[in-house]
Amino acid sequence: MTYYSVLAVTPTRDDWVPGYIGPANRLVAKHGGQYLARTASHEQLEGEASEAALRIVIQWPSAEAAKAFMSDPEYLPHLEARTAGSNSQHFLVEGKDDLAP
């Protein structure tokens, strides 16, 4: 089953960004993930304002792959840098339609 990581990230400082992008790209691919969107070009169409500098969507082959990425020892220092240097929310969404007839 396909899963998607959906992130909202607003850096509070930029010093972590240059050292983050390359390793994150490599480790996402290592765990079978694929970036579908990484952009500052987004518009909220509904709901209470939820500001974020970046919206990121990653497709995963499984929930286990996404979780393996997040717990990969190589990724942990980069995760810590991102979370210390940004306001971030990360949701893992199963690629299914629970409301389909």
Side-chain angles (χ1 to χ4, degrees):
M1 171 74 58
T2 301
Y3 278 75
Y4 300 91
S5 284
V6 180
L7 294 95
V9 178
T10 301
T12 54
R13 52 180 221 264
D14 294 330
D15 60 327
W16 60 272
V17 176
Y20 180 88
I21 301 299
N25 290 347
R26 182 177 53 76
L27 292 165
V28 164
K30 171 184 168 184
H31 290 283
Q34 177 184 2
Y35 285 101
L36 300 180
R38 282 188 287 186
T39 184
S41 300
H42 53 85
E43 177 182 1
Q44 184 170 344
L45 299 179
E46 181 178 351
E48 188 174 328
S50 175
E51 298 296 323
L54 299 168
R55 301 289 178 169
I56 301 159
V57 179
I58 306 169
Q59 180 177 317
W60 300 102
S62 65
E64 294 76 21
K67 292 174 183 178
F69 163 73
M70 291 297 292
S71 63
D72 188 313
E74 284 187 73
Y75 181 60
L76 291 179
H78 303 288
L79 173 61
E80 290 170 3
R82 178 176 61 79
T83 56
S86 71
N87 294 323
S88 300
Q89 293 81 40
H90 184 171
F91 298 90
L92 186 59
V93 180
E94 188 173 7
K96 66 176 185 172
D97 185 350
D98 288 335
L99 303 179

